[in-house]
Amino acid sequence: MSIYFDASQNFFHLSNNEISYIIGIEKKQYLTHRYFGPRLAEYHQVNQLQMIDRGFATNPISEERTFSLNTLPLETSTQGSLDYRVSNYQFRNIDGHCITNFAYDHFEISEGKRPLEGLPSLRGDQGQTLAIYLVDSIQSLEMVLYYTIYEDLPVITRSVSYTNNGTQIVYIENAGSMLLDFPRCDFDLLTFNGAHTNEATIHRQALHPGIQKIASTRGTSSPQHHPFLGLADRYTNEDQGDVYGFHFIYSGNFVAQAEVEQYGSTRIQIGINPETFEWKLSPGTTFQTPEVVLNFSRKGFNQLSQTFHTLYQTYLIPKQWQQEERPILLNSWEGNYFDFTEEDLIRQAQLASTLGIELFVLDDGWFGQRTDDTTSLGDWYVNNAKLPNGIEHLADVIHQQKMKFGLWFEPEMISVKSRLFERHPEWSLQVPNYPQTQGRQQLVLNLSLPEVQDHLIQMLIAYLSSNKIDYIKWDMNRHLTEVGSFLLPNDQQKEVSHRYVLGLYRILSEVTERFPQVLFENCSSGGGRFDPGMIAYMPQTWASDNTDALCRSKIQYGYSYLYPPIMMGAHVSDSPNHQVGRNTPLESRFLIAMSGNFGYEIAIEKQSPQELEMIKEQIIFYKKHRKLLQFGQFYRLKELDASYSTAWLFKNETEALLVYSNGLAQPAQTVQYLKTKYLEESALYKDMNTEEIYSGSELNHAGILIPRIKGDFNCFYIHWTVIR
Ligand code: GLA
C-alpha cells in the first residue's frame, strides 16, 4: 500500500495490491480524477485528458479555450463558475452571494487515519491517508479532501472538512462528502430501495442522461432508500465483472446521485442531503463531513460483498464484538405484543431455557402505562401492573434460568400521553405556531438538545449500571417532522437534522463505550436505519419487521450485498405469519432465520410438543454450526428470480453449508444444477447426511441436481465437512 506524489507530473497515486486511485493537479490549481480501478503497477498518464474547445464551455484561463472545468473529470466541483454538473459543496457568504474559488494549496500524507470527531467512521490502523488542501483566498476558506487507502482490502474512504479561516460568517448550504467523475456512462446503477416490511430490494438499471438520485429527508437513512450506490459493468453478475460500491457512513438525511452529463461521463456525488441542511460556519470553525466507503471488485457482486463484510467486521463494529459469538434469543414481541404479565414471561423464559435458548428479550410494553402503542414513550420506569417486582427481579429470574436478559427501548421518542411530555413538552421536535405531527401516535425528542442527550444517557446508564441487562434493542419507529429547535437562532434552524444525528451518535458512543459487554441491537421498525453509521455502535440490526420466511429470504438476500449475516437479526416466527398471513414450514422458517443473526419470536407456549421438539433440534444444530454461520464467508449462489427462489453458501476452512429455498413452486421444473462456485477446488467434502464424498471442484463446476420440490416455500440444506 502506498500513496505517492509524482512531483514532475503532478499526480497522486494511491495503490495497494488490488486497486489504484489517481488524482491529477492541473494548472497547479485544479484536482482532476484520473483513474479508479484495478491496480496499476506504474502510471505515466496514458489516459490523457480530453482538451477540446467546446460550445458553452467556460474557461478559467480565458485565452486557453480548450481547458474547461465544465468538461474535465474532477475530484470536487466548483461553485458559481466553471462547472455546471451536480456539486459537492455550496457556500453562501454574509452578503448572500454563493460563490467560491477553491484552488489546490498543498497536501499531507500520514500513516493510519484520524477518527472523525463526533461521527462514526472506519478505524484506520491499516491505512494511509492523503489530505489535499484547497483554499479560497478571497474569503479565506479551506477545504480538505481526505482519502484513506487500506492495506488489505480494495477500499478507499473519503471525507471532506470545510474551515472558515476568515473573519466573516459563511453558511454551508451543501457539505458533500465525495464527488468523482468517471469518463464513461455505460454502467448499470445499483440501489437498494424499499419500505417498512419490504427493505433492501435490489434495483439495477442502465444509467441514462440526467441525474439519477436517491435521498432521504426523513431524518434517518430510511428503509425507502439505502445510502448506497453501485456502478456495475453491463455484464457484471454475482461472480464476475467490475463493480464499484459507494456506501455512506451516516444515519440521517443523505443524497447519493449519479449524473450522466453531456459528453458521456458520469459524476458520482454523496453527502448529507442539502435540502434539509445548512451550517453556520463561524470564523475559526471547521465542519467535518461523514465518510464514504469506496469499494471495488473485479469479480462481481459476491466479491464486493466479501470486502464489505470483512471491512465492517474488522474496522467498523465495536472491537469487542468482532469475534464474539452471538446468543440465540427469544424475543417477546410477536408472541405477546403488549399483553403479558410477569408470570407469563417467567413461564416462557423457563420453557425457552429448556429448549436451549440463551437470551430472553423483553420487547415493547414493559414501562409506564404502556398497554398499547399510544402512550408512555419517555416514561422509562417499570409498569407495576405487569411487572410488580420490577425489571431487576425479572432479570434475576431469567439469569437463574442460565439465560441472558435483554430489554427494548425507544429512547428517541416521546408520547404525548406521558409524564415526560407533561414535564418537558419543549423537548419534542417542534416549530413555533405549527401543530406537531404525530406518527404511530408519538413525537420525536429533539436529540440536538444537550439536555435531552444527557437525560437519555443518564437514564440508560442507570439501567445498565445494575449489571442485570445484557442486551438492549434500540428502536426508532417514526420519522422526523417539524424539525426545529428553540435553542438555536433563526439562521441555524436548518442545522437541526444533522445536529439530531450528532446527538444520537454522542449518546450511542457514551453508552456503548461505557458498557462494552452489553450487546446492542439496532432497530427502526426493522431495517429503517440499517446503515454503516449505526453499525459502528451496534453490531447487529433487526433487519425487518417482516418475519415471513419467503419475504425474509429476499430482504436478507438484499442486505447481504453490504452486510454479513451476523449483522442481520432474523427470527423464526409463527405461521400463519403476522405480516403477510402466509403459512410456511417450520423447517423453512428455521433455515432462513438461521442464515441471519438467529432467534425466535413466537408464542412459545402455543407450540405443539412436536414443534417444540423440532425447535430443540434446530437449536442443537445451530449451536453446532454457529461458528460457521456467524463468522464463515457467505456467498449468494443464485440471482433472485420471479419465483423468489434463493440459494446461498456458508464456508470456512473445515465445513460448508448450503441453504436452498424454492420460493414459489413452478410447473414443468427445468433441469437445474446448483454450482457451489466458492468451495476449495482441491478439497474433498463429505455430505454429513448421505456420507457421499465429492471434490470441491465438482461441486463448484458440475453442481448439485436440484430435486423436485413440491409445495411453496420449502427449503433444504446440505452440510459438508472438509475431509482433506
Ligand atoms: C418496532 C420493532 C418491532 C417491535 C415493535 C414494538 O416495530 O421493529 O420489532 O419492537 O417496534 O413496538
Side-chain angles (χ1 to χ4, degrees), residues 229-249:
L229 289 184
L231 281 188
D233 280 353
R234 293 275 148 74
Y235 62 87
T236 297
N237 62 22
E238 288 286 12
D239 312 304
Q240 59 186 14
D242 287 4
V243 51
Y244 298 88
F246 303 92
H247 209 183
F248 196 29
I249 307 185

Side-chain angles (χ1 to χ4, degrees), residues 348-357 401 403 604 612 616 619:
Q348 291 169 18
Q350 278 165 344
L351 179 54
S353 156
T354 65
L355 299 171
I357 286 173
Q401 301 295 323
M403 275 191 296
I604 198 153
L612 289 176
K616 211 170 184 174
I619 290 171

Side-chain angles (χ1 to χ4, degrees), residues 283-579:
T285 62
T286 294
F287 181 85
Q288 171 64 52
T289 74
E291 178 169 282
V292 178
V293 177
L294 289 69
N295 175 358
F296 173 68
S297 157
R298 295 189 80 180
K299 293 191 194 140
F301 304 130
N302 263 312
Q303 187 55 44
L304 190 84
S305 304
Q306 288 299 312
T307 300
F308 275 129
H309 296 182
T310 310
L311 185 75
Y312 293 158
Q313 275 290 110
T314 317
Y315 298 119
L316 189 59
I317 65 166
K319 270 191 174 152
Q320 70 273 22
W321 293 105
Q322 276 171 14
Q323 306 296 331
E324 195 64 30
E325 289 188 8
R326 309 298 164 75
I328 303 170
L329 64 80
L330 174 68
N331 178 296
S332 69
W333 180 240
E334 286 200 15
N336 300 274
Y337 293 109
F338 294 102
D339 186 15
F340 56 82
T341 62
E342 184 182 82
E343 297 84 62
D344 294 338
L345 298 177
I346 290 173
R347 275 198 327 275
Q348 291 169 18
Q350 278 165 344
L351 179 54
S353 156
T354 65
L355 299 171
I357 286 173
E358 300 157 319
L359 163 66
F360 183 86
V361 179
L362 174 53
D363 208 278
D364 197 352
W366 60 267
F367 51 91
Q369 305 301 313
R370 188 89 164 164
T371 47
D372 58 27
D373 62 8
T374 64
T375 164
S376 298
L377 293 167
D379 292 349
W380 301 110
Y381 54 87
V382 75
N383 179 313
N384 285 321
K386 294 188 198 181
L387 302 171
N389 298 304
I391 286 291
E392 292 200 12
H393 171 75
L394 181 65
D396 284 340
V397 178
I398 306 276
H399 287 149
Q400 280 156 18
Q401 301 295 323
K402 304 269 175 299
M403 275 191 296
K404 292 179 187 294
F405 176 67
L407 199 56
W408 181 95
F409 287 90
E410 197 181 354
E412 297 157 73
M413 296 296 149
I414 179 164
S415 302
V416 174
K417 269 195 259 167
S418 68
R419 288 194 202 163
L420 187 67
F421 192 75
E422 276 165 31
R423 278 204 318 265
H424 289 293
E426 78 287 3
W427 279 5
S428 55
L429 279 176
Q430 56 199 282
V431 169
N433 304 322
Y434 280 84
Q436 289 177 281
T437 312
Q438 296 198 32
R440 209 194 188 198
Q441 285 184 256
Q442 60 199 52
L443 298 172
V444 185
L445 285 171
N446 181 353
L447 258 62
S448 73
L449 298 174
E451 56 185 312
V452 171
Q453 297 163 19
D454 292 341
H455 167 78
L456 292 176
I457 291 169
Q458 278 152 22
M459 181 278 286
L460 289 160
I461 286 176
Y463 268 96
L464 292 174
S465 298
S466 72
N467 283 328
K468 307 251 160 133
I469 298 174
D470 308 294
Y471 159 110
I472 281 191
K473 179 172 167 188
W474 182 297
D475 213 337
M476 200 281 187
N477 289 326
R478 60 155 291 184
H479 290 144
L480 277 51
T481 52
E482 292 86 34
V483 183
S485 173
F486 65 81
L487 206 61
L488 293 171
N490 56 2
D491 64 347
Q492 288 185 274
Q493 289 298 324
K494 271 186 105 177
E495 296 180 8
V496 178
S497 296
H498 181 58
R499 285 182 182 272
Y500 181 101
V501 181
L502 294 178
L504 171 68
Y505 288 153
R506 181 192 154 214
I507 300 167
L508 287 174
S509 67
E510 290 206 11
V511 177
T512 57
E513 275 166 30
R514 184 152 170 177
F515 299 98
Q517 78 288 2
V518 176
L519 177 58
F520 280 78
E521 180 155 314
N522 169 43
C523 176
S524 177
S525 290
R529 198 167 50 186
F530 193 170
D531 60 55
M534 297 307 280
I535 283 174
Y537 307 99
M538 312 200 220
Q540 58 194 58
T541 298
W542 177 229
S544 177
D545 272 357
N546 189 337
T547 57
D548 170 67
L550 184 80
C551 296
R552 261 315 183 105
S553 68
K554 192 202 80 177
I555 292 166
Q556 290 169 213
Y557 170 91
Y559 276 127
S560 78
Y561 277 73
L562 308 173
Y563 307 101
I566 193 171
M567 292 188 186
M568 305 173 208
H571 301 167
V572 171
S573 62
D574 279 312
S575 180
N577 172 266
H578 293 193
Q579 291 78 41

Side-chain angles (χ1 to χ4, degrees), residues 624-689:
K624 213 160 123 203
H625 303 294
R626 176 164 18 205
K627 271 227 143 57
L628 171 68
L629 295 165
Q630 296 194 351
F631 301 103
Q633 290 172 304
F634 175 90
Y635 295 94
R636 294 172 300 274
L637 297 183
K638 201 169 178 293
E639 297 200 10
L640 208 59
D641 59 24
S643 69
Y644 275 39
S645 168
T646 48
W648 48 60
L649 179 78
F650 293 86
K651 170 195 145 185
N652 64 19
E653 304 77 46
T654 56
E655 52 178 340
L657 201 148
L658 175 145
V659 177
Y660 179 88
S661 153
N662 77 326
L664 294 165
Q666 301 296 316
Q669 186 173 327
T670 51
V671 188
Q672 284 179 51
Y673 291 94
L674 184 68
K675 299 174 185 177
T676 53
K677 292 176 192 171
Y678 293 95
L679 294 177
E680 293 311 312
E681 295 272 316
S682 54
L684 280 186
Y685 288 86
K686 180 172 173 185
D687 181 325
M688 297 311 284
N689 187 29

Side-chain angles (χ1 to χ4, degrees), residues 210-263:
I211 298 168
Q212 286 111 91
K213 143 175 159 181
I214 53 162
S216 169
T217 54
R218 294 167 176 272
T220 71
S221 48
S222 90
Q224 284 74 19
H225 303 292
H226 196 83
F228 169 85
L229 289 184
L231 281 188
D233 280 353
R234 293 275 148 74
Y235 62 87
T236 297
N237 62 22
E238 288 286 12
D239 312 304
Q240 59 186 14
D242 287 4
V243 51
Y244 298 88
F246 303 92
H247 209 183
F248 196 29
I249 307 185
Y250 188 59
S251 310
N253 296 334
F254 73 93
V255 62
Q257 49 192 339
E259 179 180 12
V260 174
E261 55 81 75
Q262 54 185 339
Y263 300 116

Side-chain angles (χ1 to χ4, degrees), residues 18 47 92 144 161 192 320 338 440 461 601 695 700:
E18 296 185 58
N47 55 342
R92 186 180 76 245
V144 189
S161 71
F192 294 92
Q320 70 273 22
F338 294 102
R440 209 194 188 198
I461 286 176
E601 195 167 328
S695 70
N700 283 350

